[in-house]
Amino acid sequence: MPVLKPFAALVTVFFAVATAASSAATQSDLARAYRTIASKTFVDLTHSFGPDTPVWSGFGQAKMSPAADPKTKKPYTIKEDGFRSTFYEMVGQYGTHVDPPAHFAEGGITMDAIPLKQMILPLIVLDNTPYQAKDPNHAFSVDDLKAWEKKHGRVPKGAFVALRTDMAKDFDANPERFKRQPFPAWAFETIKFLYEQRGIVANGHESLDTDTTEKMLSETYLLEKGHYQIEVMANLDKVPPKGALIVVTWPKVKQGLGFPARAFAILP
């Protein structure tokens, strides 16, 4: 058997070199990917929020106050304690936020269980604003979607699809108008078509709700099907129809049913 020893040694060396080369290639790929991403333009898709932020009347406004020592009730200050902090009292669905499936579905996953790979996706932006000139509360239809695809190509499987309505411009400037009903949004048939016929992963929009159907059909449908959505998005008018990436993140609240999210686009 001594003849096999050199061969075995050669095989060992080969696999060691191959493993090292693979690791180096992976690192090189990631380094190149980072350099590419870092050179791109980033667009914040998130509103800042505070006590006056528009919210559904059934939830009420957030309350924010200085955090205090639970024993003395005295607020912490930099001068006295070397730090300061804020106590937040608010509903999860506040400002730009994530709705996980469990928000509407009894057996749906909570926000801490949404897969990490679903938090960075190709971003498609559908523009509802041309239709709003004639109908300010236009619901983006399947026909509208097909017209978009005729111009820009088929919505890719695995994408995050956002609906631009420019409602975001009223979020700070005119909060009461932002909360108006009815408002421009998705048609239920379009949401259903995008998930069933195009295989998208998630969707988002600028309004407080997915659509204005009496029973919130679109939101109920997509959450019960195991998808998540991002509501109250900003700056979709600064993102191209296709070619960008969206990155979305949120605190990992155990069994959380929704929370303010941070979303941004990386432009092509």
Side-chain angles (χ1 to χ4, degrees):
M1 303 301 295
V3 176
L4 296 178
K5 288 184 179 179
F7 176 74
L10 181 62
V11 170
T12 301
V13 171
F14 173 79
F15 278 109
V17 171
T19 301
S22 175
S23 176
T26 299
Q27 292 175 5
S28 179
D29 287 346
L30 287 175
R32 283 197 298 269
Y34 175 73
R35 287 196 296 270
T36 299
I37 289 172
S39 70
K40 301 297 183 180
T41 298
F42 287 39
V43 175
D44 196 346
L45 304 179
T46 314
H47 290 286
S48 297
F49 64 85
D52 298 325
T53 286
V55 66
W56 178 52
S57 60
F59 288 144
Q61 300 301 136
K63 296 178 182 178
M64 302 179 188
S65 57
D69 185 318
K71 295 180 180 179
T72 65
K73 309 301 180 184
K74 183 180 177 182
Y76 296 110
T77 65
I78 292 177
K79 181 179 180 181
E80 297 292 331
D81 307 288
F83 73 94
R84 56 186 174 180
S85 188
T86 303
F87 180 79
Y88 300 94
E89 183 180 352
M90 63 188 184
V91 69
Q93 275 70 20
Y94 202 79
T96 303
H97 64 268
V98 59
D99 282 340
H103 178 42
F104 271 31
E106 195 71 41
I109 63 171
T110 49
M111 55 191 282
D112 52 323
I114 294 174
L116 293 175
K117 285 191 175 181
Q118 292 189 10
M119 296 167 73
I120 177 168
L121 297 167
L123 175 59
I124 295 294
V125 178
L126 306 175
D127 189 359
N128 196 52
T129 59
Y131 304 102
Q132 293 167 211
K134 291 184 178 180
D135 177 11
N137 303 314
H138 182 77
F140 196 82
S141 70
V142 174
D143 286 342
D144 300 337
L145 173 61
K146 290 182 176 179
W148 184 95
E149 289 188 322
K150 188 174 182 180
K151 182 177 181 180
H152 300 288
R154 185 184 175 99
V155 171
K157 182 179 180 180
F160 182 109
V161 181
L163 182 66
R164 174 190 168 188
T165 59
D166 284 356
M167 285 186 67
K169 295 177 180 180
D170 290 326
F171 186 82
D172 291 315
N174 193 341
E176 288 306 312
R177 175 172 167 74
F178 178 83
K179 293 188 292 183
R180 70 189 184 276
Q181 287 191 341
F183 51 83
W186 297 99
F188 169 63
E189 293 75 17
T190 310
I191 285 289
K192 195 168 183 290
F193 184 91
L194 283 167
Y195 282 106
E196 294 184 5
Q197 303 300 319
R198 295 296 181 261
I200 70 170
V201 170
N203 71 277
H205 40 268
E206 299 178 38
S207 52
L208 288 167
D209 287 308
T210 318
D211 63 30
T212 54
T213 58
E214 185 177 345
K215 296 183 179 180
M216 293 190 285
L217 293 178
S218 295
E219 189 162 349
T220 301
Y221 165 83
L222 72 95
L223 296 178
E224 287 186 344
K225 291 293 183 181
H227 302 283
Y228 76 86
Q229 67 174 4
I230 301 296
E231 297 195 296
V232 196
M233 298 182 75
N235 296 322
L236 290 173
D237 58 322
K238 296 179 174 64
V239 181
K242 64 178 184 178
L245 294 177
I246 186 171
V247 180
V248 187
T249 186
W250 45 79
K252 193 176 181 181
V253 180
K254 189 174 183 178
Q255 298 183 338
L257 301 178
F259 212 83
R262 188 68 186 269
F264 62 91
I266 304 171
L267 303 193

